[in-house]
Amino acid sequence: MKNEGIFTIIKIMRICFRVWIVSTIFLNTVWASDGSAQKVQNVYKVDVQIGFKKADIKTILKKIEEKTDFRFAFDQAILSSKEYLNLERSSYSLGELLEIIGQKFYLNFRQVNENIDVKKVTKGKPKVTTQVSIDLTVNGTVSDENNDPIPGATILVKGTTTGTISDIEGQYSIEAQEDATLVISYVGYLLQEIPVNGRSVIDISLRLDIRSLQEVIVIGYGSVQKSDITGAVSSLKGDDLNKGANASVDQLISGRASGVMVTQTSSEPGGGMSIRIRGASSINAQNEPLYVIDGVAMDNSSLLSASSADATSSENGAAFLSINVNPKNPLNSLNPNDIESIEILKDASATAIYGSRGANGVVLITTKKGSMGKARVNYDFYSGVQTVAKKLDVLSPSEYIDVINGISEDSGNGPVFSSSDINSIGAGTDWQDEIFEDAFLQSHNVSVSGGANKTSYYTSLNYFDQEGVLKNTGIKKYIGRVKVSHDISEKISVGFSVNTSLIKDNNSIDGLNINEEAGPVNAAFLYDPTEPVKNADGSFFRSPNLTLNNPVSLVEGVSSSSETNRTFANVTFDYEIIKDLKAKVNFSSDRQNNTRNIYNSRLTIHGESNGGAANISTLELSNVLTEFTLAYSKDIRFWGNPFKCRKNGKHGRRITYQFYQP
């Protein structure tokens, strides 16, 4: 009876699986057929019975659309023509009819499938051109190397959203143009691109992606082949990471891994980043993942922000500035050019070895190392210019004057701005132009690597300089790294790495506050565009009607700078006790010193009333980690089939202290 119950359950599961496959294929087929194109003919092969009597161009095009399946696209200026057309009612090919209309209204017509683009003739004679793509219904079967059908393979028309999947017999049907290319993919198989070339039957044979299955992935317990992974892991190698001007490691993985959302919490250079793996896991607690660099868990605690709340007032930031709660990115201390690969562990099984620290996911970072052979020297450099893509649309001086005078006149008063005032104002002041600038960016990176006599080494130096598009903001980074490994014997190896950095930030002081405490960007959006930047005596103009600082006085009169020194190092000792049983001891240290200096000069409202204001804050973070790992890995074969046994034990001691001095 027990066995009969088990067989019944298995039978029900099989039926449910088949129903799911059939329903999925049915829904996908409906979706694909809805997105297919209609059969389209050349305009010279379409006859239309039509006639006109003193008809303008708008009427003519509308009647043609009513009698055919074609639609016209044109600029509204074409409808302003004063010409009229008289045409005896008869049967015309649509192409001939368009030639007649083009000669009369001096227009060019261009057919693209069922759409006809209409444009004024700018050079030469009016003409009618056609571009028609013939759609085919392509059928076939998707199979593997053994000619077995593959159900659920994805077939897409390249460059479009038209697609379908193969059914339980591996068969598919899709609408595609005769010159299109089909893209076929399936998990564990190599992607293929096959040109249609006018064929209606295309059978596809997919090959196993052996390299993908044999790829080595780093996880918390060590490294395994991709084919052996049971947890949810995203692996990014050097070619998968974002290229270009990346100030931190976070920017390398933005948009590169499924289920990983990377956002910048502050747009200033070196600003903080937020990473969410599979969404937020807590409302009040920390949601950031754990970062592990070369096996060492890092402290990613927030550093000092540009102007956090003053100890004497919860309403103002330090030195009477706007409260800016966005901290700098602690991962700025790692050189993105030193990254070899990044693995992102997403689920409980993948992060289990890290305990509660890995509750929000784990980002494993593996840095580059040397290889045996002659010394290799690499140097790379890039530079660029950043600009504000689009400024906020605010009232121009003339629009502002019209609005203010209109309000005054509606209230029964005379105009606020007289003719002489308007003449003296002239072009006024674009406050956004006064505080924004084109910003230069550059990065220099040099590395030396090699190895001999069982010793390998890798060293690198990085200089990164990014100016902000907001004047008086930016970041400069100086980073050095050394990584050495040595095999003492066949069973014993040691390794050492140290990363040290100096980061200098010119902070943005825009934050949460308004009025006198507002930053330069907020003030620029609200300041009077009819007023000058400076008075005749060279002092900054201050509006008598607004409790706002002159935006330029904030840029030039306030200094907020930070300096961060961070050094993290680790020493590893590996010993193979017996075959398949390895022990590893890891000692690591991570120390950070963060100092922020703020000076609010007498050029600002609060600075003048307080005789200038200053604030110095320091933050020190230190972590020491001692870790011991014992790993056993053995391949056991049953009747020729491999079975891998892996067991890890991990014991460690972690000491952390934090010190903050306002």
Side-chain angles (χ1 to χ4, degrees):
M1 293 297 292
K2 184 176 181 181
N3 290 336
E4 290 180 2
I6 293 174
F7 288 134
T8 302
I9 293 173
I10 293 174
K11 187 175 182 180
I12 293 173
M13 291 175 65
R14 286 178 176 174
I15 294 172
C16 291
F17 176 74
R18 290 176 180 175
V19 171
W20 175 79
I21 285 288
V22 172
S23 62
T24 302
I25 293 170
F26 173 75
L27 291 174
N28 186 79
T29 303
V30 172
W31 164 70
S33 62
D34 288 343
S36 61
Q38 296 180 354
K39 303 295 183 183
V40 182
Q41 287 185 307
N42 189 297
V43 290
Y44 284 96
K45 296 182 180 180
V46 177
D47 293 327
V48 56
Q49 186 80 20
I50 202 167
F52 302 108
K53 186 176 181 181
K54 202 178 180 180
D56 58 16
I57 185 64
K58 181 178 181 180
T59 303
I60 295 170
L61 298 181
K62 185 176 181 181
K63 282 192 175 182
I64 294 175
E65 286 185 338
E66 292 173 352
K67 291 181 173 291
T68 68
D69 292 328
F70 293 97
R71 293 294 177 265
F72 292 95
F74 51 84
D75 190 279
Q76 291 295 320
I78 290 175
L79 304 180
S80 62
S81 174
K82 302 299 182 182
E83 296 290 335
Y84 295 95
L85 177 65
N86 292 304
L87 185 66
E88 184 178 349
R89 185 175 185 82
S90 182
S91 179
Y92 304 89
S93 77
L94 181 55
E96 294 173 344
L97 179 60
L98 294 178
E99 289 179 357
I100 297 171
I101 299 170
Q103 293 290 340
K104 180 65 177 179
F105 295 94
Y106 216 55
L107 299 172
N108 285 331
F109 294 92
R110 178 172 175 265
Q111 177 196 5
V112 180
N113 291 339
E114 69 273 13
N115 299 310
I116 301 175
D117 186 35
V118 187
K119 289 188 177 180
K120 277 282 187 182
V121 176
T122 57
K123 184 171 65 174
K125 297 181 179 180
K127 58 184 178 180
V128 177
T129 57
T130 62
Q131 180 181 331
V132 180
S133 299
I134 301 175
D135 281 2
L136 300 173
T137 300
V138 182
N139 300 291
T141 303
V142 182
S143 58
D144 60 15
E145 294 172 317
N146 299 321
N147 208 29
D148 294 326
I150 298 179
T154 301
I155 301 95
L156 292 172
V157 179
K158 188 175 182 178
T160 72
T161 57
T162 303
T164 187
I165 62 173
S166 57
D167 61 19
I168 198 167
E169 300 295 334
Q171 297 178 354
Y172 73 94
S173 178
I174 191 171
E175 298 286 339
Q177 296 177 0
E178 58 182 354
D179 58 348
T181 299
L182 299 183
V183 180
I184 305 95
S185 61
Y186 190 72
V187 176
Y189 289 80
L190 293 172
L191 181 142
Q192 286 194 34
E193 294 188 5
I194 300 177
V196 175
N197 291 335
R199 294 175 291 174
S200 59
V201 177
I202 301 177
D203 291 327
I204 303 158
S205 178
L206 296 181
R207 292 180 299 166
L208 278 172
D209 188 358
I210 302 298
R211 289 183 302 173
S212 174
L213 295 176
Q214 292 179 344
E215 181 183 346
V216 175
I217 305 296
V218 177
I219 62 173
Y221 294 99
S223 59
V224 296
Q225 285 190 348
K226 191 173 184 179
S227 57
D228 295 332
I229 290 180
T230 57
V233 180
S234 291
S235 178
L236 302 173
K237 304 300 182 183
D239 293 338
D240 302 323
L241 303 174
N242 291 321
K243 309 298 181 184
N246 296 301
S248 69
V249 176
D250 316 64
Q251 296 174 352
L252 292 175
I253 63 176
S254 179
R256 292 292 180 174
S258 62
V260 181
M261 183 174 65
V262 181
T263 55
Q264 190 165 356
T265 58
S266 172
S267 57
E268 62 181 311
M273 302 288 290
S274 172
I275 293 185
R276 297 291 181 268
I277 297 176
R278 291 185 170 180
S281 58
S282 175
I283 297 176
N284 298 318
Q286 179 66 257
N287 284 293
E288 294 297 317
L290 174 68
Y291 291 87
V292 179
I293 302 176
D294 291 335
V296 179
M298 307 301 295
D299 182 5
N300 204 34
S301 302
S302 297
L303 302 177
L304 294 171
S305 64
S307 55
S308 53
D310 196 302
T312 60
S313 173
S314 61
E315 298 179 358
N316 299 327
F320 302 100
L321 298 180
S322 181
I323 297 177
N324 185 337
V325 296
N326 291 314
K328 291 294 182 177
N329 191 344
L331 289 179
N332 287 340
S333 56
L334 185 62
N335 179 10
N337 295 282
D338 288 340
I339 305 301
E340 179 73 28
S341 66
I342 297 176
E343 276 75 31
I344 303 172
L345 313 183
K346 304 175 185 178
D347 65 358
S349 64
T351 63
I353 195 171
Y354 298 104
S356 61
R357 292 182 298 163
N360 300 317
V362 180
V363 178
L364 301 179
I365 300 172
T366 303
T367 60
K368 295 177 181 178
K369 59 182 180 180
S371 56
M372 294 299 171
K374 294 182 179 180
R376 288 172 291 276
V377 180
N378 292 300
Y379 170 76
D380 65 77
F381 160 77
Y382 59 78
S383 64
V385 177
Q386 306 163 103
T387 60
V388 176
K390 185 178 181 181
K391 298 187 299 182
L392 189 68
D393 187 16
V394 296
L395 293 177
S396 66
S398 59
E399 293 170 337
Y400 182 82
I401 290 171
D402 290 341
V403 170
I404 296 299
N405 282 345
I407 293 174
S408 180
E409 291 171 358
D410 290 343
S411 301
N413 302 315
V416 175
F417 295 95
S418 63
S419 298
S420 59
D421 292 335
I422 296 173
N423 292 332
S424 63
I425 290 169
T429 303
D430 187 329
W431 293 104
Q432 294 182 69
D433 284 344
E434 295 295 332
I435 65 170
F436 292 134
E437 63 179 356
D438 292 340
F440 183 68
L441 177 149
Q442 62 177 324
S443 176
H444 302 264
N445 190 78
V446 61
S447 64
V448 180
S449 63
N453 298 324
K454 299 183 179 181
T455 301
S456 63
Y457 61 89
Y458 176 90
T459 63
S460 69
L461 292 172
N462 174 250
Y463 169 68
F464 181 88
D465 183 7
Q466 181 182 7
E467 298 175 351
V469 292
L470 177 63
K471 292 180 180 179
N472 200 27
T473 62
I475 181 174
K476 289 185 179 181
K477 302 198 302 178
Y478 308 85
I479 303 175
R481 183 174 185 83
V482 176
K483 189 173 185 179
V484 181
S485 62
H486 176 68
D487 293 332
I488 299 175
S489 66
E490 292 183 356
K491 291 190 173 185
I492 303 174
S493 63
V494 293
F496 167 76
S497 68
V498 59
N499 188 103
T500 185
S501 62
L502 171 62
I503 301 171
K504 297 182 177 181
D505 294 291
N506 282 332
N507 303 314
S508 169
I509 58 173
D510 272 282
L512 305 176
N513 299 66
I514 58 174
N515 299 328
E516 303 97 308
E517 290 83 28
V521 176
N522 183 274
F525 294 156
L526 303 175
Y527 220 67
D528 190 338
T530 65
E531 304 293 359
V533 176
K534 291 185 177 182
N535 298 312
D537 60 0
S539 61
F540 282 106
F541 174 84
R542 189 172 295 168
S543 174
N545 303 314
L546 299 172
T547 57
L548 280 172
N549 280 292
N550 183 315
V552 182
S553 72
L554 288 170
V555 171
E556 298 184 10
V558 177
S559 171
S560 176
S561 62
S562 299
E563 187 172 293
T564 304
N565 291 276
R566 184 174 191 178
T567 299
F568 50 87
N570 72 299
V571 178
T572 60
F573 179 85
D574 293 87
Y575 176 60
E576 186 177 9
I577 303 172
I578 58 174
K579 186 179 179 180
D580 303 322
L581 180 61
K582 295 181 180 180
K584 181 177 182 179
V585 180
N586 182 32
F587 304 97
S588 65
S589 173
D590 180 11
R591 295 183 62 86
Q592 295 184 72
N593 290 284
N594 183 208
T595 303
R596 183 192 66 199
N597 300 307
I598 298 177
Y599 177 60
N600 189 352
S601 73
R602 300 187 183 190
L603 298 177
T604 67
I605 295 175
H606 276 309
E608 183 182 42
S609 62
N610 290 278
N615 177 276
I616 299 176
S617 299
T618 62
L619 175 67
E620 181 177 331
L621 299 173
S622 181
N623 285 272
V624 178
L625 176 68
T626 302
E627 187 177 61
F628 173 74
T629 305
L630 190 65
Y632 178 74
S633 179
K634 178 70 175 177
D635 288 353
I636 304 173
R637 292 181 175 270
F638 294 98
W639 297 284
N641 297 316
F643 175 79
K644 293 189 178 182
C645 176
R646 179 180 294 272
K647 181 68 177 177
N648 290 68
K650 186 171 183 178
H651 304 277
R653 180 174 177 80
R654 180 182 177 89
I655 303 172
T656 303
Y657 74 88
Q658 297 182 351
F659 174 72
Y660 174 74
Q661 179 180 343

